[in-house]
Amino acid sequence: MKIVCVLLSTYNGEKYLKQQLDSVLNQKDITLNFLVRDDGSTDSTLDILKQYEKEGKIKLIVGKNIGYKKSFYELAKLAPLSDYYAFCDQDDVWDDDKLITAVNMLERENNSIPLLYFSALRVVNKNLKVKSVTHKKFIISEYPFEQALTLNPVYGCAAVFNNALREKFLEYQEFEHSHDNNLNVLASALGKVVFDKTPHFSYRQHGNNCFGYPSSLKSMIKNIKWYFKYEVHNIRLKEMTKIKEKFYTELSEHNKHFCDLVLNYRNSKQDKKALLNYKPYKTDSKLTNFYIRHLIKHEKL
């Protein structure tokens, strides 16, 4: 059986934690490594985790509060060598076939390149009543790198990835974006992303999620505010600068061309025009079109 290392970062998650831990431990047809890092909890989360560690069910790292982005990075860095790795949230509930389904899909691909699997989400309320299933109709673009830079459909709790992608993720060390966004960008630029339209876990929304699915007016407003903050500080430009610095020689010629356009269009009317007329944005999803064309059109050179 393939070895999958599950990486869980916790923070004041006492209310739903036991149910999630048990659902991860109940995974079938894989060998499980379960690494948990607590990010400075002040409730009974640590007591729960220490009991599971005492029973030999998890390996626990007690850490200071550094935020979920760096916490997940620390987990990936400290993870024992495994065939695959899976990020995990503290308040969800996994189906027993979540990991083996991902492993089976990834095993069909070329494992020497960075690979990322993610699935649709079964969004549930605090009592696990199903509210919706998201991403059922999502299609990975013919131009995945461009799509990843303008739209991130990957939620960390749905992600499973191979060691080749883990190594790129650790080398990248980018903390302005979330861990799931970084996995998506790196896999799209350097390897392959595999999508499963069937959800294999319940993504619990209970009002206190660190960053949840925008299913209410409050969460939609939160996400919109985050989006504009994200753009105002030119984080995407910083992201592409780091991609070029770290991995430019490993990009395909197509992705190199796109990378150069994104980095140059602010200083060149010719490159700005080329980016506005770039073929992927004439054939990709309406949402991706809206993001990229709106952002570029309203910038003054």
Side-chain angles (χ1 to χ4, degrees):
M1 291 191 292
K2 294 296 180 181
I3 302 171
V4 183
C5 183
V6 173
L7 307 172
L8 168 61
S9 178
T10 58
Y11 179 72
N12 290 349
E14 61 182 4
K15 189 169 184 179
Y16 305 110
L17 183 56
K18 286 184 179 181
Q19 195 173 17
Q20 172 65 317
L21 292 172
D22 291 341
S23 74
V24 174
L25 291 166
N26 197 40
Q27 294 298 296
K28 64 181 183 181
D29 299 330
I30 56 98
T31 298
L32 179 70
N33 284 328
F34 199 174
L35 184 61
V36 183
R37 181 188 182 277
D38 184 72
D39 194 40
S41 291
T42 56
D43 64 0
S44 65
T45 294
L46 263 180
D47 294 331
I48 296 169
L49 293 174
K50 286 177 180 178
Q51 182 59 40
Y52 276 76
E53 182 184 41
K54 184 178 179 181
E55 295 169 2
K57 295 177 179 179
I58 66 170
K59 181 178 179 182
L60 175 62
I61 301 166
V62 179
K64 296 180 180 179
N65 183 257
I66 56 175
Y68 74 94
K69 297 174 187 178
K70 290 185 178 180
S71 186
F72 276 115
Y73 178 85
E74 285 297 306
L75 281 162
K77 182 170 67 174
L78 297 171
L81 185 63
S82 305
D83 297 301
Y84 296 101
Y85 306 84
F87 285 135
C88 178
D89 287 353
Q90 65 188 5
D91 36 22
D92 300 332
V93 177
W94 287 11
D95 301 350
D96 63 5
D97 67 344
K98 182 180 190 293
L99 293 181
I100 188 58
T101 301
V103 167
N104 287 339
M105 291 185 70
L106 290 170
E107 282 290 296
R108 300 176 197 145
E109 307 295 335
N110 175 8
N111 221 274
S112 66
I113 65 172
L115 295 176
L116 170 64
Y117 160 98
F118 77 101
S119 70
L121 309 176
R122 183 194 307 125
V123 182
V124 301
N125 65 14
K126 63 182 181 180
N127 298 316
L128 300 181
K129 182 179 179 180
V130 178
K131 300 169 68 177
S132 64
V133 176
T134 71
H135 297 13
K136 288 185 294 185
K137 297 181 180 179
F138 178 76
I139 297 174
I140 295 176
S141 170
E142 181 182 354
Y143 307 93
F145 186 37
E146 292 90 327
Q147 185 182 46
L149 261 293
T150 53
L151 178 67
N152 178 37
V154 180
Y155 283 66
C157 50
V160 180
F161 52 102
N162 68 351
N163 201 53
L165 182 54
R166 171 178 173 257
E167 290 175 357
K168 299 300 180 189
F169 177 77
L170 294 177
E171 185 180 352
Y172 195 35
Q173 292 192 53
E174 203 280 322
F175 300 118
E176 295 203 66
H177 296 85
S178 60
H179 54 297
D180 44 27
N181 180 88
N182 291 343
L183 287 178
N184 186 32
V185 169
L186 292 171
S188 299
L190 304 169
K192 186 174 181 179
V193 179
V194 177
F195 174 62
D196 183 355
K197 66 181 181 181
T198 303
H200 297 277
F201 71 107
S202 294
Y203 181 59
R204 192 189 321 245
Q205 297 296 283
H206 48 79
N208 294 314
N209 304 75
C210 289
F211 199 91
Y213 186 76
S215 55
S216 66
L217 179 60
K218 182 179 177 180
S219 60
M220 287 178 69
I221 291 172
K222 181 179 178 180
N223 283 12
I224 290 168
K225 285 181 178 178
W226 172 84
Y227 176 76
F228 280 103
K229 179 182 177 182
Y230 182 68
E231 297 307 334
V232 166
H233 294 285
N234 299 324
I235 296 177
R236 282 205 175 96
L237 189 63
K238 294 176 185 176
E239 180 178 32
M240 189 64 88
T241 300
K242 198 154 192 175
I243 289 286
K244 184 164 186 175
E245 174 193 330
K246 296 277 188 181
F247 307 114
Y248 190 75
T249 59
E250 300 175 53
L251 298 176
S252 67
E253 291 304 312
H254 175 88
N255 287 345
K256 284 179 182 177
H257 177 61
F258 177 71
C259 181
D260 291 337
L261 278 180
V262 170
L263 290 174
N264 295 334
Y265 82 87
R266 292 167 182 264
N267 302 310
S268 165
K269 290 184 178 180
Q270 183 178 353
D271 284 343
K272 182 176 182 180
K273 184 177 179 181
L275 194 57
L276 279 169
N277 294 318
Y278 202 52
K279 185 179 178 182
Y281 301 129
K282 293 185 177 297
T283 58
D284 209 344
S285 73
K286 290 181 180 179
L287 186 58
T288 305
N289 276 328
F290 169 78
Y291 281 154
I292 192 69
R293 297 183 69 84
H294 177 79
L295 291 171
I296 296 171
K297 275 185 174 180
H298 289 80
E299 287 184 352
K300 296 180 180 179
L301 291 173

